Amino acid sequence: MEFPTKKGRIDWYIFLPVVGLMLFSIAFVYSASASIASIKFGSAEGLFVKHTFRVLLGIAVMLAFSVIDYHKYKKIAKPIMYVAIGLLIVVLFTNPLNNVSRWIQLGPVSFQPSEFAKFGMVIYFAALLEKKQHIIKDFKEGYVPFLIWTGIICFLIALQPNFSTATVIFLIAIVMLFVGNTNLLHVLGTFGATMLLAFVYLTSTQSYRLNRILAYFGDQEMLSSEKSINYQLDQALIAIGNGGLFGVGPGQSRQSHLYLPESYGDFIFSIIGEEYGLFGLTVILAAFGFIFWRGLKIAKNAPDLFGYMLATGIIITFALYVFVNAGVNCGLLPTTGLPMPFISYGGTAIFFYAAAIGILLNISTQAGVYPSNKQYNDLNPDY
């Protein structure tokens, strides 16, 4: 079935599912956070009220960015990267929370620079891929600049330490370079070398990262020596198992009563599974799948290569985060702390996700969804 979009109008087939997920997240977060909020704030509505305000503000941010011509970002792409790197450096010198330096405190508001850096890199790479398309196959002139920028961003984020976010940002960069018509051997070489460096990093820094990997692969010695290492995953799987096919019902989760840590954040997907069952999780993933499919249609028919790469980068980012979060909650991937877009409780992430979708919606207004992207198709005749 085709869903045409008229030029000059936002793609409602992306806007409505995204807004729907954001609004439903209010109920999800309330149910998942009521117990911990009662302890922290003396009221079950403590986190619910904050999340509701952020969701509504996020929708306003999305609409605001949807009316800004996306070509404007091309002119400020490089300054955005400089600002992102500057903020990542600043955060390393702030007072750490639980030995982790990931946030900059601006009065009552905390700001996570890695979120800004993630989408800032997508914007800059989209602009740079268009600019360097005539020399993109050349290793020194066309490819190395991307490696340098990616290395700086990922290194600074890994120092926070935030290895999971650094890994996902690296994967976003790799996929954008692959889609951007770079030399496949360069991309594969970069991926292989980075995996080797990542292994060295895992084995030479904090042991808990390596322990999680070993536990994931079923190392019995590790599981017996550190019995709590899989506690969070075990509780998440109990939640999903309790839900069965149709769930125990809204607000009836047991695991959210202080059994499952981060039940309203990184592991809210498990609470949804408990309350709404496999059916609820399937609906959530289907909505994301529809958004991704629609986003790729918009990317394909963007009026220029910058729009194509920008839309592709945004969709890649969301797809990776959804895949990793769902995979971790289901035990398919090693435990790591990445939120579910539009659904998990959060501050900085909600606004940047909303802004990114707003940019995608603006791209959709500047071309119909089904005419061909001639500039990209000329570069990739087999597409």
Side-chain angles (χ1 to χ4, degrees), residues 152-219:
I152 293 173
I153 293 292
C154 292
F155 177 71
L156 290 173
I157 293 176
L159 287 178
Q160 294 181 358
N162 193 347
F163 185 71
S164 57
T165 298
T167 301
V168 173
I169 288 178
F170 167 74
L171 293 176
I172 293 168
I174 284 293
V175 178
M176 286 190 72
L177 290 174
F178 171 74
V179 175
N181 206 35
T182 56
N183 189 304
L184 180 59
L185 292 178
H186 295 164
V187 175
L188 293 177
T190 301
F191 182 80
T194 304
M195 291 301 100
L196 180 60
L197 289 174
F199 175 78
V200 173
Y201 178 81
L202 283 170
T203 56
S204 61
T205 56
Q206 297 292 333
S207 61
Y208 72 87
R209 298 190 187 95
L210 181 60
N211 292 345
R212 285 181 176 179
I213 300 294
L214 294 174
Y216 170 75
F217 285 106
D219 187 293

Side-chain angles (χ1 to χ4, degrees), residues 15-16 18-26 51-66 342 350-351 353-355 357-358 361:
F15 177 76
L16 292 178
V18 168
V19 170
L21 288 171
M22 293 177 73
L23 292 177
F24 274 113
S25 79
I26 295 174
H51 184 71
T52 301
F53 173 76
R54 290 167 179 171
V55 165
L56 296 178
L57 185 57
I59 294 174
V61 169
M62 187 192 312
L63 291 171
F65 273 82
S66 71
F342 309 128
I350 291 177
F351 302 128
Y353 290 153
I357 291 296
L361 292 174

Side-chain angles (χ1 to χ4, degrees), residues 70 126 129-131 133 179-180 302-311 373 375-376 379-380:
Y70 75 89
L129 281 166
E130 182 185 58
K131 180 181 178 181
Q133 197 58 225
V179 175
D304 52 28
L305 190 58
F306 174 65
Y308 172 81
M309 291 308 308
L310 182 56
N373 182 336
Q375 183 176 358
Y376 182 75
L379 290 167
N380 300 268

Side-chain angles (χ1 to χ4, degrees), residues 16-18 20-22 24-25 28 244-247 269 272-273 275-292 322 326 340-343:
L16 292 178
V18 168
L21 288 171
M22 293 177 73
F24 274 113
S25 79
F28 299 153
L245 189 58
F246 294 105
F269 189 75
I272 296 173
E275 295 189 347
Y276 299 89
L278 178 62
F279 176 79
L281 295 182
T282 301
V283 171
I284 294 292
L285 293 178
F288 277 118
F290 183 81
I291 293 168
F292 302 151
V322 170
M340 178 65 79
F342 309 128
I343 293 178

